[in-house]
Amino acid sequence: DVKVTQSSRYLVKRTGEKVFLECVQDMDHENMFWYRQDPGLGLRLIYFSYDVKMKEKGDIPEGYSVSREKKERFSLILESASTNQTSMYLCASVETQYFGPGTRLLVL
Amino acid sequence: GENVEQHPSTLSVQEGDSAVIKCTYSDSASNYFPWYKQELGKGPQLIIDIRSNVGEKKDQRIAVTLNKTAKHFSLHITETQPEDSAVYFCAASKGGFKTIFGAGTRLFVKA
């Protein structure tokens, strides 16, 4: 079974903090994705990566950056967290075939 | 821009009844239509998908239909059970890395 894991299920951070969300997949997939999920808005693509050190902006990249140093790991970075980044963050691999369990982030 | 509309936002059915969720999409180039089930505290799980060269696909109690002319597709769940209670998302993709998701339908199955 493919497994996509995310480093934290719940996070509480303060405005202005730098936040790292980590995602790891165990099936040697090339494509990995970060989405945010908000009520009534569905899932929106933040960034994706199709290879190590390769990244592309999605629909809502502002305020975020990503890092893909190893094939199995894709990190989402909030350089300076803001309250409007309070959301559920979902990592996926192979486009939208496999999702992680999500990280619920609260920014105070 | 491209979008996917999903209805209803909430659906309540009696155990054993059928449930239907409908989606419409705007981009006529879309050719792949997956459906996801998201249970509380979990990430979305792909449950069924359909490609544009097929009008209908069935997997046990779940079926999906696609009408490319009208640009809409539907999820049908028959003989619903309490464990079918979840949020269901439709999506549309035209290949590449771009998938547009519907806003979700919260399904309640009453025992």
Side-chain angles (χ1 to χ4, degrees), chain A residues 9 31 33 35 37 40-43 45 48 50 59 90 95-97 99-101, chain B residues 32 34 36 38 41-44 46 49 89 93 96-103:
Chain A
R9 296 300 302 275
N31 302 332
F33 301 76
Y35 290 88
Q37 181 178 25
L41 296 178
L43 279 72
L45 182 63
F48 65 94
Y50 51 89
D59 297 319
L90 289 161
E95 289 198 41
T96 53
Q97 300 289 321
F99 280 91
Chain B
Y32 175 63
Y36 300 87
Q38 186 174 23
K42 297 183 179 179
L46 179 69
D49 54 14
F89 291 95
S93 169
F97 302 107
K98 184 84 175 220
T99 300
I100 308 295
F101 290 83

Side-chain angles (χ1 to χ4, degrees), chain B residues 7-50:
Chain B
H7 299 280
S9 56
T10 305
L11 178 60
S12 184
V13 299
Q14 204 66 38
E15 183 179 0
D17 287 351
S18 294
V20 180
I21 302 170
K22 298 183 179 183
C23 290
T24 58
Y25 59 98
S26 61
D27 190 345
S28 55
S30 297
N31 56 15
Y32 175 63
F33 306 92
W35 284 89
Y36 300 87
K37 177 183 181 183
Q38 186 174 23
E39 296 174 309
L40 199 62
K42 297 183 179 179
Q45 179 186 7
L46 179 69
I47 56 171
I48 195 168
D49 54 14
I50 190 168

